[in-house]
Amino acid sequence: MTEPTPVTPIDAPAGSVHDRLGAATVSVPPELLDRIASTGTAVLTDDNTRAEAGRDWWPLAIGWAAEGGVPQRPAAVVRPTSTEQVSGVLAASNEARVPVTAAAGRSGVCGGSVPVHGGIALDMTAMTGLIDVDETSLTADVRAGTFGPDLEVALGAVGDGYTLGHWPQSMDLSTVGGWLACRGAGQYSTRYGKIEDMVLGLEVVLADGRVVRTEGRAPRAATGPNLTQLFVGSEGTLGVITEARLRIHPLPKAQGRRALGFTTFVAGLEACRRILRRGATPAVLRLYDQAESARNFEQPDTNLLIVLDEADPNIVASTLAVVDDECSSEAGAHPLDDDLVQRWLEHRNDVSALAPLWRGGIVVDTVEVSGPWAALPGLFEDVVDALTAIDGTLAASAHQSHAYTDGACLYFTFAGRGPDGDAEWRERYYRDAWDAVTDVTLAHHAAISHHHGIGLNRSRFLPRALGSGFEVLGGLKATFDPHGILNPGKFGLASPFGPAPWA
């Protein structure tokens, strides 16, 4: 069974790790832990477990780990094995007014699973496994703590073999519940959709311990508001997802590949738009700007488009025919070696350079946003210009990673370096870079996140992003979680435990 993978070691003995956020924290009464333990739920309070539960893959925390710190440790880690145990934990914590932050693989890169105010970290990794598969209707019921590789192995062993089609870069590190909580996307999303397109129904535990099942009995049900989608993307602030019913697909019979170069990034965007406009949905349609084409593929002086599709042979052939038609010399394209697709496949999940860069004094991160096709050329140019203008920037680049008929995701990378050992400069530059990308994104009326979610790092932007809708979100929070115990300090929402740092 897959287990959480930390991004980097913490450079301190477990008993000497310190908290960096500095928020007001809540201690957990011993009688509450005793009550939880009496149900058979594992309760862990050792220093090492608490330290690991105090961080995720938020890049800023890599620098803190090199200094012996984590964002914020919980007072205790609780590991349930059933929905009934989750219900008991939340009911008891709600009565005691103790915050609970749900987490599993902790692969998020925005600090979403950091227990900002301490309390209890609810570790969902023991709630694993494929519950049922309906091969006729192509649905699967799965527990929320199931890691991606374990789910695909289990689906592949049923009948002639099935797949969810959800292949995020964090595949080896993340779980079904995390995908749903953050509205995640896989690298094959242009064919299979994002996780919100795959989910039919959920089992969710509310703050007071009530268990709710949403939709999932039949497709496209018109039974009032879609409660499933209310919890998808809520990042554990409205309830804790324990099970999901998902759409699945037979394992594909055929695959096709293309690699093409474009004279400009904007010309490549236009070709992608026209491919989608004609109804072709290749699983992978990734366009890299000139900087990333050279850095990642050793293809200088071009903007590389990677195309991969998998489906019925007739569908793959038709899709690639549209790709070939729209990626002509008249469109500013020229063919490249299809082996570049294999190179992408072999390195697509490699993030091994992230921690060494941070430890070497280079501040680096990625920011994924999305916008309509009409906005993307200007958004690309303006974000790269804004990042480049920040003092200390070494690199600013982008690629288009997920595409749809109405728009696409742009995935920006920035790197900067200041005076050696200057932690204040590092954090200031990091915040300035994120502010720059987000300000430009909002100015173009685009979305501030496509699939990484909000977490702690983006919380300060959410009120502006949602506008008048932010008040509605606050009302939902007050209704579903009146005592504010669920993942407090996130989304920019008011918390009874005090203000959230960094947000």
Side-chain angles (χ1 to χ4, degrees), residues 235-314:
E235 299 188 27
T237 63
L238 301 180
V240 175
I241 296 169
T242 51
E243 290 182 14
R245 175 163 292 176
L246 305 171
R247 294 183 175 94
I248 59 174
H249 307 267
L251 288 172
K253 302 294 186 183
Q255 186 186 90
R257 305 177 180 186
R258 293 288 188 274
L260 302 124
F262 283 85
T263 53
T264 68
F265 189 74
V266 172
L269 286 176
E270 176 63 11
C272 292
R273 184 188 72 85
R274 293 180 66 86
I275 290 168
L276 272 295
R277 184 183 181 93
R278 290 178 59 179
T281 57
V284 178
L285 194 66
R286 297 175 75 91
L287 174 69
Y288 294 84
D289 73 359
Q290 191 166 316
E292 296 197 7
S293 296
R295 184 170 66 236
N296 299 334
F297 296 93
E298 298 177 353
Q299 296 293 313
D301 304 320
T302 194
N303 296 266
L304 173 64
L305 177 65
I306 293 292
V307 184
L308 183 150
D309 199 21
E310 59 175 33
D312 178 90
N314 292 329

Side-chain angles (χ1 to χ4, degrees), residues 57 169-170 187 344-354:
W57 276 63
Q169 187 180 49
S170 62
Q187 294 159 336
W344 173 77
L345 284 167
E346 292 172 355
H347 297 281
R348 58 181 169 151
N349 297 339
D350 183 6
V351 292
S352 59
L354 181 61

Side-chain angles (χ1 to χ4, degrees), residues 368-384:
E368 33 60 69
V369 303
S370 65
W373 288 113
L376 293 184
L379 180 60
F380 161 68
E381 294 175 0
D382 290 350
V383 168
V384 172

Side-chain angles (χ1 to χ4, degrees), residues 88-126:
V89 170
L90 293 188
S93 300
N94 191 52
E95 291 176 16
R97 307 296 192 264
V98 169
V100 178
T101 302
R106 299 194 301 275
S107 65
V109 293
C110 294
S113 61
V114 172
V116 173
H117 296 288
I120 289 174
L122 187 66
D123 181 350
M124 299 293 289
T125 58

Side-chain angles (χ1 to χ4, degrees), residues 61-375:
I62 299 172
W64 293 342
E67 299 165 351
V70 298
Q72 178 61 56
R73 291 166 297 171
V77 176
V78 172
R79 189 172 295 149
T81 58
S82 68
T83 298
E84 292 73 23
Q85 289 184 352
V86 173
S87 174
V89 170
L90 293 188
S93 300
N94 191 52
E95 291 176 16
R97 307 296 192 264
V98 169
V100 178
T101 302
R106 299 194 301 275
S107 65
V109 293
C110 294
S113 61
V114 172
V116 173
H117 296 288
I120 289 174
L122 187 66
D123 181 350
M124 299 293 289
T125 58
M127 293 189 60
T128 64
L130 188 62
I131 300 169
D132 185 51
V133 174
D134 182 341
E135 295 187 73
T136 303
S137 304
L138 291 177
T139 64
D141 296 336
V142 59
R143 294 184 178 89
T146 306
F147 279 86
D150 300 334
L151 175 60
E152 284 296 323
V153 168
L155 288 173
V158 175
D160 292 331
Y162 298 90
T163 180
L164 181 61
H166 187 75
W167 299 93
Q169 187 180 49
S170 62
M171 185 68 174
D172 292 342
L173 315 171
S174 57
T175 65
V176 171
W179 302 339
L180 291 161
C182 294
R183 210 171 267 273
Q187 294 159 336
Y188 289 25
S189 65
T190 303
R191 173 157 300 288
Y192 296 109
K194 291 181 64 198
I195 195 66
E196 65 262 32
D197 304 305
M198 302 174 181
V199 62
L200 292 163
L202 297 172
E203 179 183 79
V204 181
V205 182
L206 303 182
D208 61 5
R210 285 179 294 163
V211 180
V212 177
R213 283 193 173 271
T214 68
E215 285 91 21
R217 295 176 180 169
R220 308 298 179 189
T223 51
N226 190 325
L227 297 180
T228 298
Q229 294 298 331
L230 181 64
F231 291 104
V232 174
S234 65
E235 299 188 27
T237 63
L238 301 180
V240 175
I241 296 169
T242 51
E243 290 182 14
R245 175 163 292 176
L246 305 171
R247 294 183 175 94
I248 59 174
H249 307 267
L251 288 172
K253 302 294 186 183
Q255 186 186 90
R257 305 177 180 186
R258 293 288 188 274
L260 302 124
F262 283 85
T263 53
T264 68
F265 189 74
V266 172
L269 286 176
E270 176 63 11
C272 292
R273 184 188 72 85
R274 293 180 66 86
I275 290 168
L276 272 295
R277 184 183 181 93
R278 290 178 59 179
T281 57
V284 178
L285 194 66
R286 297 175 75 91
L287 174 69
Y288 294 84
D289 73 359
Q290 191 166 316
E292 296 197 7
S293 296
R295 184 170 66 236
N296 299 334
F297 296 93
E298 298 177 353
Q299 296 293 313
D301 304 320
T302 194
N303 296 266
L304 173 64
L305 177 65
I306 293 292
V307 184
L308 183 150
D309 199 21
E310 59 175 33
D312 178 90
N314 292 329
I315 293 175
V316 171
S318 298
T319 297
L320 292 182
V322 173
V323 171
D324 293 339
D325 196 27
E326 295 297 342
C327 295
S328 64
S329 58
E330 290 80 6
H334 57 277
L336 296 173
D337 193 333
D338 288 350
D339 285 347
L340 289 168
V341 182
Q342 184 62 33
R343 177 169 177 163
W344 173 77
L345 284 167
E346 292 172 355
H347 297 281
R348 58 181 169 151
N349 297 339
D350 183 6
V351 292
S352 59
L354 181 61
L357 285 170
W358 272 89
R359 287 178 172 272
I362 296 177
V363 177
V364 60
D365 203 355
T366 58
V367 187
E368 33 60 69
V369 303
S370 65
W373 288 113

Side-chain angles (χ1 to χ4, degrees), residues 9-32:
I10 304 170
D11 292 0
S16 301
V17 172
H18 59 277
D19 302 316
R20 287 298 302 263
L21 289 178
T25 58
V26 178
S27 60
V28 179
E31 55 270 24
L32 173 60

